Structures are given as structure tokens and as C-alpha cells.
Amino acid sequence: MLELNNISFTYTDEPFIENLSLMLDTNAPCILLSGKNGSGKTTLLNLMCELLPAYDGSIERHGMSIGYLPYQDCLIKDVSVLDNFRFYNRIFNDQDLDLNDPFYNQLLQIFSIDYQHKKVKQCSSGEQKKCAIVCLLLSKADLLIFDEPFNALDFQSVLGFLRLIKEMKQEHLFLITTHTMDVIGKIADRLIIMEHGSLKADILGRKEIEAYLNDQYYAEIKTI
């Protein structure tokens, strides 16, 4: 469980996020965080991970470990993809990466990573995105946070990733921001929508989420 209690944050003299309270738990293990550009999604993620300091309120992790993949990844560009896997596995798990580990090899297969010995800086944007996703999944953290993970991914990798999330959410909590809501909405258990630094909507249940997304889609189409 992760609890945010009356969190407030500002970039200027005016509050951007003010008195925001939110609880994430395993009752809704796949959470979609949505909203227009500038609505506060990434700021909220950074507050959750304590990469930004809230000037008011509190964050309670209750012993939950958190892994976070920001929009701009933190890959080491001058070394190989495999070296990145080894580095982050050591950071997360304090042990060497077992190249025969079934989960590791499952990740390689899902994301079609046959370029482990290629330097990251020589990889395409999609290849780098896959590498970054695998690095975070190797953490096996209780809460896995992804900021726009589907950008630059090929369709088969997106499908494989969604199947993996569906499998892993039995034991892990996922929080994902994306503008590709028609895809992730199929497996999301909860939809949180932000607007101007506040929570606009908080919807539980897959049928309710799909109904909401369909209503919003057709409402927007009618305005064209």
C-alpha cells in the first residue's frame, strides 16, 4: 500500500498540486494515470518516488518497494544492453544477473531482445525503450511505475508487455501513464485522471473504465 496524505507541491509561488490524497493498493493492481499534457502526472510520480519534495503532507510506503521508469530513461549509453541489465540488477537485487534465469529469458523473448551485446547508444529509440523496461522489470519491486512506456514500441512488444502485466499484477502493483488508453484500458483495474494538478476522476473496475473511455472518445469525435 502507498498512501499520499494531503500532498502539496509548487514550482512557483502558486500551488500546482494542493492537498492531494491518494491510496494505491492491490485491490486495483493495474492503475492507469491519465490526463492532458501538463496536468501533473509526472510531477505526481516524482512526488511518490520522493524525487521531488512535497512542502506539505506525508507519503507512507508501508514497506513497499518502488521501481520507477521515467519518460527520459537512465540507461548507460556507452556500454552494452547486457551491461545495463547487469548494472541495474545489481542495484536492485544486490546480486549478479543470472543469464539462465527463466524470468530474465522470458523478458528477452517478450521484447525480442537479440541485441544484448550492442551498445545502447547504437540502438534505436524502440530498442532503448525495451532495454529500459526490462531493467525496471528485473527489480521485481512491489510497485512498478512506468511513465509513457509504450512510446516507440512495436505492436508485438506492446502486446507481450500487456500480457506480462496481466500475469505479474497477481503479485505486483503497476502504475502506468500513457496516452494509448485504448490499449492499456483493456487490462487496467483503476483509472485516475488528473487535471490542473488535481484528481478529476477515479474510476474502479474494467467495465466502468471501458465505458468511461468510450464515452469520452465519442464525445470528442463529435466535436470534430
Side-chain angles (χ1 to χ4, degrees), residues 27-41:
N27 290 323
C30 184
I31 304 164
L32 173 60
L33 178 62
S34 186
K36 296 178 180 178
N37 294 333
S39 62
K41 301 186 300 297

Side-chain angles (χ1 to χ4, degrees), residues 1-61:
M1 180 189 299
L2 178 70
E3 286 186 273
L4 281 68
N5 301 302
N6 299 313
I7 291 294
S8 296
F9 176 80
T10 182
Y11 289 106
T12 63
D13 293 335
E14 294 294 324
F16 180 54
I17 290 178
E18 190 171 19
N19 296 325
L20 186 150
S21 293
L22 184 65
M23 183 175 70
L24 310 182
D25 59 37
T26 54
N27 290 323
C30 184
I31 304 164
L32 173 60
L33 178 62
S34 186
K36 296 178 180 178
N37 294 333
S39 62
K41 301 186 300 297
T42 298
T43 298
L44 180 59
L45 298 185
N46 286 330
L47 287 167
M48 287 180 179
C49 298
E50 299 183 50
L51 298 175
L52 289 175
Y55 70 77
D56 201 4
S58 64
I59 298 175
E60 303 292 337
R61 291 191 179 187

Side-chain angles (χ1 to χ4, degrees), residues 138-181:
L138 286 173
S139 74
K140 299 181 181 178
D142 298 321
L143 172 59
L144 294 162
I145 300 176
F146 294 89
D147 192 358
E148 295 290 347
F150 303 110
N151 286 0
L153 288 189
D154 60 83
F155 183 65
Q156 289 303 317
S157 292
V158 170
L159 289 181
F161 189 20
L162 292 174
R163 292 189 187 104
L164 182 65
I165 292 171
K166 189 174 181 179
E167 175 186 325
M168 290 184 65
K169 72 177 186 175
Q170 307 304 317
E171 297 181 0
H172 301 268
L173 186 60
F174 285 85
L175 177 59
I176 301 168
T177 74
T178 180
H179 294 291
T180 318
M181 291 192 294

Side-chain angles (χ1 to χ4, degrees), residues 104-168:
Y104 171 64
N105 283 281
Q106 180 187 10
L107 295 178
L108 296 183
Q109 183 177 8
I110 287 172
F111 294 102
S112 302
I113 296 179
D114 55 3
Y115 50 91
Q116 294 181 73
H117 300 289
K118 193 175 179 180
K119 286 189 176 181
V120 170
K121 66 182 180 182
Q122 297 172 333
C123 294
S124 69
S125 59
E127 289 174 331
Q128 291 188 32
K129 177 67 77 173
K130 292 177 184 181
C131 176
I133 291 171
V134 170
C135 284
L136 183 61
L137 290 171
L138 286 173
S139 74
K140 299 181 181 178
D142 298 321
L143 172 59
L144 294 162
I145 300 176
F146 294 89
D147 192 358
E148 295 290 347
F150 303 110
N151 286 0
L153 288 189
D154 60 83
F155 183 65
Q156 289 303 317
S157 292
V158 170
L159 289 181
F161 189 20
L162 292 174
R163 292 189 187 104
L164 182 65
I165 292 171
K166 189 174 181 179
E167 175 186 325
M168 290 184 65

Side-chain angles (χ1 to χ4, degrees), residues 52-119:
L52 289 175
Y55 70 77
D56 201 4
S58 64
I59 298 175
E60 303 292 337
R61 291 191 179 187
H62 300 285
M64 175 177 281
S65 60
I66 299 177
Y68 176 34
L69 177 59
Y71 184 78
Q72 297 294 335
D73 65 66
C74 300
L75 296 174
I76 306 169
K77 309 294 184 180
D78 288 325
V79 302
S80 71
V81 169
L82 179 56
D83 285 337
N84 273 269
F85 293 159
R86 284 174 164 151
F87 174 76
Y88 280 104
N89 188 73
R90 170 64 67 176
I91 292 293
F92 291 131
N93 302 309
D94 194 28
Q95 63 183 19
D96 294 330
L97 177 64
D98 179 2
L99 300 184
N100 295 315
D101 177 67
F103 179 64
Y104 171 64
N105 283 281
Q106 180 187 10
L107 295 178
L108 296 183
Q109 183 177 8
I110 287 172
F111 294 102
S112 302
I113 296 179
D114 55 3
Y115 50 91
Q116 294 181 73
H117 300 289
K118 193 175 179 180
K119 286 189 176 181

